[in-house]
Amino acid sequence: IPLYIMCNSENRHIIEDFFHENGHFGIKEQDLLFFTQGSIPIMNKQGKFLLREKHRIAQEPHGNGGVFRALVEEGMISDMKSRGV
């Protein structure tokens, strides 16, 4: 049974390393698929964009609200179809 794990760009390598260090918890490596969610700009309560640094808008992962888009963009839906999921 494939396991699809959504990560963000900042924690993906940490999560992948954790699974690797723990022998993938008994899951076959080919059935363990990591994918990265997108990010969206951050705004304050007044609707103004926040800056990460000068001339760079701050962004954060958009969370579960973007799961379906991330599944498509990261090729997970195609993988599911090829597996008959």
Side-chain angles (χ1 to χ4, degrees):
I1 298 173
L3 178 61
Y4 299 88
I5 300 174
M6 184 169 73
C7 308
N8 65 52
S9 60
E10 293 186 24
N11 71 11
R12 182 171 174 165
H13 69 280
I14 295 167
I15 294 170
E16 287 179 339
D17 289 348
F18 179 74
F19 272 82
H20 181 71
E21 291 165 5
N22 289 282
H24 302 102
F25 298 97
I27 301 168
K28 294 178 187 174
E29 193 169 353
Q30 67 267 23
D31 289 335
L32 191 57
L33 297 110
F34 298 90
F35 65 103
T36 305
Q37 62 185 307
S39 297
I40 56 173
I42 303 171
M43 291 187 244
N44 65 17
K45 292 180 182 180
Q46 292 75 37
K48 294 187 179 192
F49 290 106
L50 299 177
L51 297 178
R52 174 117 19 236
E53 56 192 52
K54 190 174 182 176
H55 305 296
R56 184 170 170 223
I57 296 174
Q59 294 194 21
E60 290 292 329
H62 55 57
N64 295 336
V67 67
F68 298 110
R69 184 176 191 166
L71 284 168
V72 171
E73 290 178 353
E74 292 287 309
M76 298 301 112
I77 297 295
S78 295
D79 182 81
M80 291 176 189
K81 286 179 181 178
S82 72
R83 294 171 184 257
V85 174

